[in-house]
Amino acid sequence: MYPLRRNRRLRASQAIRSLVQETTLSPNDFQAPLFVVEGKNIKDEISSMPGYYRFSLDLLVEEVKLIWSLGIKSVLLFVKVEQNLKDNKGTEAINPDGLMQRAVKTVKDAIPEMLVMTDVALDPYSIFGHDGIVEKGKILNDASVDVLSQMALSHAQAGADFVAPSDMMDGRILSIREALEHEGFYDTGIMSYSAKYASAFYGPFRDALDSAPVDTKDIPKDKKTYQMDIANRTEAIRETQMDIDEGADIVMVKPGLCYLDIVRDLKNTFDVPIAVYQVSGEYAMIKAAAQRGWLDENAVILEQSMAIKRAGADLISSYYSKDVARLISDL
Ligand code: PBG
C-alpha cells in the first residue's frame, strides 16, 4: 500500500492526533477511594502508599471538597477499625453508629451531590483478617452473606448511594439486593467486585487498614478459597454473569493493569458499566519507581489510565484519581 498509505500522516501534529484520538479521559471517569480512621485532626500517611492518607472524619470533609473541586464525582469509602471492635461475626460492621456509617453521613453532609459508595466486606472488622466468618479453618459462605447483607443495608440506611461488595462470597449480590428491596432501598445501587482476583497487589491496602489475614495455625493465610484464581479467564465471565443476574448495576475487575484482558472480555460480553480498580500495589509500584527517578510518574499514570479505559473500563477507581484529574485539566 505504501506510499498510498502513510500512517504517520495521522500522527504529524497534536491537532491531528487529537482529532483522531480514540480514547479520552475525563475526571468523570474517576472514583477516589478514601481511608477513614477514628479520631480528630488525623491525616496519617500510609507507609507503603506514599502520598496517600487515612483521614479522621473532620479532615475527611476537606479532602472530599478538594476531590469534588477537581471534578471527581464519586468516592469509595473504607474504614480502619480499632482492634478492640474486631470479632469473628462482623458485629461492628452493622453498628448504625459505626465509623463507616458516620463517614457516609459526613461526606453526604459536606457534598450532597457526591456519589458515595461503601466497601462491603468483613476483613477490616475481622480478628482473622478474612472477608467472611471463619470456622474450623474455613471461610463460611452463607453465614457471611447474611452479615454482608445487613452491613449493606446499614450503609444504605446511613445514606450510601451504592454499596460495593468486595468479599467474593457466592450469592451475596442477590441477598444484598433482596435486603435492600425489602427495606425500600430501591434506588441504592450495587457495584459488585465481580472479577476479583486473589492478587498479591493488595498488600499496601492491608497495611492501610491493618486487615491482612492473620498468620496463625489453622487459619488460611490467603484468600484463595474465595477470591479468583489468577490463572482463570472464563471464570471471570461466569462470576460476572451471575452477579449481573443477581442484580449488580456495575461490575468490576480488580486489579487493573494485569487484568486488562479480562476487562476486554467483559466489555465484549456484557452491556452493564464496567469498573476497574487500580489497586494499592499498582499505586505503590509506580510511586516507588517515580521516587527513585526511574519513571515519569505523570506520564505513567496518564498512560495506565488510558490503557484501562481503552481496554473497556467505564470508570476507574484509583489512588491516582486526583492527580489524573489535575493533569487532564492542565492539558
Ligand atoms: C476488602 C478489599 C480489599 C481491597 C478492596 N477491598 C483487600 C482484599 O481483598 O484483601 C483491595 C484494594 C487495594 O489493594 O487497593 N475486601
Side-chain angles (χ1 to χ4, degrees), residues 119 123 131 166 196 202 205-206 223 227 254 280 319:
D119 186 64
D123 47 332
D131 294 38
S166 67
K196 176 171 177 178
Y202 307 149
F205 172 97
R206 295 175 188 172
K223 300 189 175 182
Q227 298 179 350
K254 179 184 173 189
S280 58
Y319 303 102

Side-chain angles (χ1 to χ4, degrees), residues 116-174:
V116 175
M117 298 201 191
T118 56
D119 186 64
V120 177
L122 291 184
D123 47 332
Y125 298 93
S126 161
I127 38 169
F128 299 122
H130 277 292
D131 294 38
I133 295 167
V134 183
E135 198 178 279
K136 298 195 184 107
K138 290 213 159 73
I139 290 63
L140 300 181
N141 194 85
D142 298 9
S144 301
V145 167
D146 284 345
V147 185
L148 292 164
S149 305
Q150 294 174 52
M151 185 178 176
L153 183 58
S154 98
H155 294 178
Q157 285 162 341
D161 298 292
F162 269 69
V163 292
S166 67
D167 55 287
M168 292 299 282
M169 300 299 132
D170 289 324
R172 89 271 208 224
I173 302 302
L174 179 62

Side-chain angles (χ1 to χ4, degrees), residues 27-28 30-32 67-74 114 321-322 325:
N28 293 331
F30 287 84
Q31 175 180 58
I67 289 168
W68 183 260
S69 74
L70 292 168
I72 297 166
K73 299 183 180 63
S74 178
M114 180 70 90
S321 288
K322 282 192 315 185

